[in-house]
Amino acid sequence: MNMNEENKLKTEASGHEAANVKPAGISRRKMIGALGVATAAFLVSGKSIFAATTLTDNLKLKRTTPIDVTDVNENFTRIDSEFGNRAVSPDYYKVGTGFDDTDCVQAAFDSGKPVIFTRNYNVKSVKMTGSDQNIDFNGYWLFGISESTDTEEMRDCVLTISGLYLNLYNIRVGAGFKPYKCGIHWVSISASRPAEHIKVYGLQVNRCLVGIQYGAYLDDSNPLDAPQSENFIYGIHFRAVQNCLILNQPNGILKIIGGLFDCGPSEWDTVPSSPYSAVNAYCFYAKDSVLSIDACEILKVSSTEGYGFKGNNFILTNCSIEIGSTWGYIDGKATITQDDAGYQGGINKNLFEIAPGAEGRLNLNTFFAKRAAGFNSPAYIINGLAAAPRFRVNIDKSYFSEWTANKVTSARRENVYVQNTRFTKVVSGVTYESNINDQDRILNIAASVDTTGENMSTESDTVQKSDWNMYVYTGTGTVYFRKNTTDVPVGFRSCIEVKVTSGISYIYSSKFPVFGGASLVFSGWAKYTTGNSEQKVSVVWVDAANNVVAEDLIVLADLSTTEWGRIVKSVTAPLSAVRASFQIVGSGGSILVTGLGLTAEGDTVERASFINQMNAALDAPGEGFILKSPNNTSYKITVSDAGTLTATAYP
C-alpha cells in the first residue's frame, strides 16, 4: 500500500469513527456497541488500522495490535463495573436524546449503586426504594414535567422517598407549578417496610402547593401505621410553596436541623389562575407524627390570613419566627423554646388559637414575641380555651413586647400558668412594664380565712363553722354546709361543701383587709354535682362603712361536675374597698370549694412586705410583725411614721 492509499483509508476510518461518536443522550454502553461494529469493519483484511486498547489489572490502558473487538468491549465492561461500584450517573442508562429523563433516573435509583447527578434531569415521577444507598444530586435539579394529561401516579409527586438506610445529598426538586400533589412524597411501602433511617444532607423544594408530604395524604381516612422514624434532614429550604411540610404518619418521627420554612406565594403570583391560597398556606402541619425543628426560620410574612403552622406533637427549638397571621393553631401538645426573633405582623390577630376540644399542653419557654408599637389590639396571646377546658398552657421565662398581662388569654386564666415572664407596652412614648410570676403568688392576703374547711365540723347543718356563716335566702329542702374530706382535689385534705336542694342560699367568710385599687388574682378550686346557673364563687368588696361596693365572681359555666378545676381571675379592688370576704352560693345542688386565695398580680403594694400582709391578715393596726421573747411571750413590733419602734405584748 502506497502512502496515498494509506492516508485515504485513514481518512475514511476517521470519518466512520466520527459518525459513531456518542451524541448527547446516548449511553456509553450503546456507544461501545457501535464502536465495536465499526471497528470490526476494518479487520476484514486482518490488518491493524489503529492500535487497540487492552485493560491492565490496574485499569490503565496499553496499546495492542491487532485490535480485538471482543476484548475492547470486555475492557469497557470492566471499566463500567469498576466505576459503577463507585457511582453511576443516570446518563449511563439514557437511551436517545429525548427531553424526558424519567426512565434513566429511575434506572439509576433502582441500580442499588451510589448515584451522582451530572446535570439537571427532567422527570415525570421517580422513586427511591433502595436500601443502604448513597444518592447525590451534586448541585443539580430534578425538574417535574408531568401535565394534567398524565396518569394519576405520574402526578402524585416529582420524587418519592421510600427506601431504607439512605444517605441523600443536595436534593433539589422543582415542581414547576405542575399539577403534582406534592414535590416530595416521603412514604412507607408497608408497615413492615417503613421509609426509615434516612439522612438528608441539604434539601430544597420549589414551586408546588405542598413541598413534602410525610406519610399519607390528609384525605386518607386510614393512614398506614408504620414506624417511619430515625429520619433526619440537615438543611432545608422551601420557596414558592403553599404548604411546606405536612405530616400524617402514625408512629412517624422526623427531625429537621437548620433551614427555612417560607410559605409565601413568591412566583405563584405570576401563574395565571394561581391556585395558591394565603388562608390555607402554612409552614408545617403536624397532623399525626412527631416533628422536631431546630435552628430554622419560620416565615409567613405576606398575609395576615390563616395560620403560620398547625397541629400537635411538635417541638420548635432556637427558631426565628416571623408570621403576619396567627402563629399557631394548636390541637395537642406542643413546645416552642428559645425563640430568638419572634414577630407578629397582624396586630389584631391572636398569637395562638387552641382547637375546640383540644387536650394537651402548649409550652412556651424562653419565648419572645413582638408586635408593632402604638396600637391598641383586642387580640390575646392564647385564644380558644373556653372551648378546650382540658387544655393547659405553660409560659416560662418569656417576653412579650407590645402585649399587656391582661391579654394572656381570652378565657380560663386558670388554665394558663405564667412564670418569670415580662410584658411591655409603649403608650405615648412611655414604656409600661409588668412582670408576672404565678409561682410566686404565695402571699395570700386572705390568710386569716379558713379557705379549705380544715377547721369546720363535718355536721350537715347551717350553724357557724370556723369563720364562715350561712344565710338561708330562699333555700328549702336539704340545706347545709360542712367540711368534706371524701371528695377533694389532689394535694388537699378537705374542702367546703354547700348543699341547697331547692332555692338559693349562701355562706360567707369573715372579712379581711385589702388595698383599694390593688391588682389582685382571685383563685381557688371548685366543682359541683348538680345545680343551676346561680351556683357561684365570688369575692365581695366592702367600703369603710361596711357597704358592699362590688363583686367579682366565677359562675357555674366555668365549673365542672366531673372533675375539680382551678379557678383563676384577675381582679382589681375598687378604690373605695377596705375589706373583702369570700362568698359561696348554692342553688339546686351541691358545690364544693377549697384553696381560695386573693393574691397580688405583679409588683404592687400588696407584695411590699410579707410581714405587713401577715399582720393585715391578723387585723392588727399599724405595720409590724410578731416576735417571741426567750420566756415565750409574744410581742408585736410596730413602727410609727417617725420611725419609732414599739414592742407591745401580743395579743
Side-chain angles (χ1 to χ4, degrees), residues 27-204:
S27 75
R28 178 169 56 184
R29 187 174 300 281
K30 296 293 183 183
M31 179 191 72
I32 294 169
L35 180 61
V37 172
T39 306
F42 299 102
L43 299 178
V44 175
S45 62
K47 296 183 178 181
S48 173
I49 306 304
F50 52 86
T53 58
T54 300
L55 207 62
T56 62
D57 290 339
N58 61 1
L59 298 183
K60 290 184 178 180
L61 301 178
K62 66 181 180 181
R63 305 182 71 81
T64 63
T65 185
I67 192 169
D68 186 333
V69 175
T70 302
D71 182 55
V72 169
N73 279 301
E74 287 179 353
N75 288 334
F76 271 114
T77 299
R78 287 188 62 192
I79 294 173
D80 289 342
S81 176
E82 171 65 25
F83 287 99
N85 286 333
R86 302 178 190 176
V88 295
S89 164
D91 280 325
Y92 175 78
Y93 302 96
K94 179 72 175 179
V95 177
T97 60
F99 177 71
D100 189 343
D101 300 313
T102 302
D103 290 342
C104 70
V105 173
Q106 188 61 63
F109 290 166
D110 291 345
S111 70
K113 299 177 180 179
V115 178
I116 185 167
F117 280 19
T118 53
R119 62 178 175 89
N120 296 331
Y121 293 95
N122 304 301
V123 300
K124 292 183 180 293
S125 184
V126 290
K127 299 179 180 180
M128 295 176 178
T129 59
S131 177
D132 197 19
Q133 189 176 19
N134 294 338
I135 299 175
D136 190 351
F137 281 45
N138 195 27
Y140 293 103
W141 286 84
L142 199 62
F143 289 123
I145 59 173
S146 286
E147 301 291 350
S148 58
T149 53
D150 287 304
T151 65
E152 184 176 355
E153 183 181 11
M154 289 293 101
R155 290 181 284 111
D156 180 78
C157 63
V158 180
L159 173 65
T160 297
I161 300 176
S162 296
L164 284 167
Y165 293 96
L166 299 179
N167 291 314
L168 310 177
Y169 301 89
N170 308 307
I171 293 178
R172 292 185 175 183
V173 171
F177 310 112
K178 300 297 184 180
Y180 289 103
K181 289 183 177 180
C182 61
I184 296 176
H185 195 181
W186 193 326
V187 61
S188 297
I189 294 174
S190 66
S192 60
R193 183 62 164 76
E196 63 177 359
H197 294 283
I198 298 172
K199 296 181 179 65
V200 181
Y201 301 92
L203 184 153
Q204 183 169 352

Side-chain angles (χ1 to χ4, degrees), residues 97 102 143 163 210 212 295 305 323 346 382 385 512 533 568 587 619:
T97 60
T102 302
F143 289 123
V210 177
I212 301 175
E305 301 176 279
I323 295 172
I382 306 295
L385 289 178
F512 48 89
S533 60
V568 179
S587 177
D619 201 16

Side-chain angles (χ1 to χ4, degrees), residues 622-624 636-648:
E623 296 188 351
K636 184 177 76 170
I637 311 301
T638 60
V639 60
S640 69
D641 292 338
T644 303
L645 293 176
T646 303
T648 306

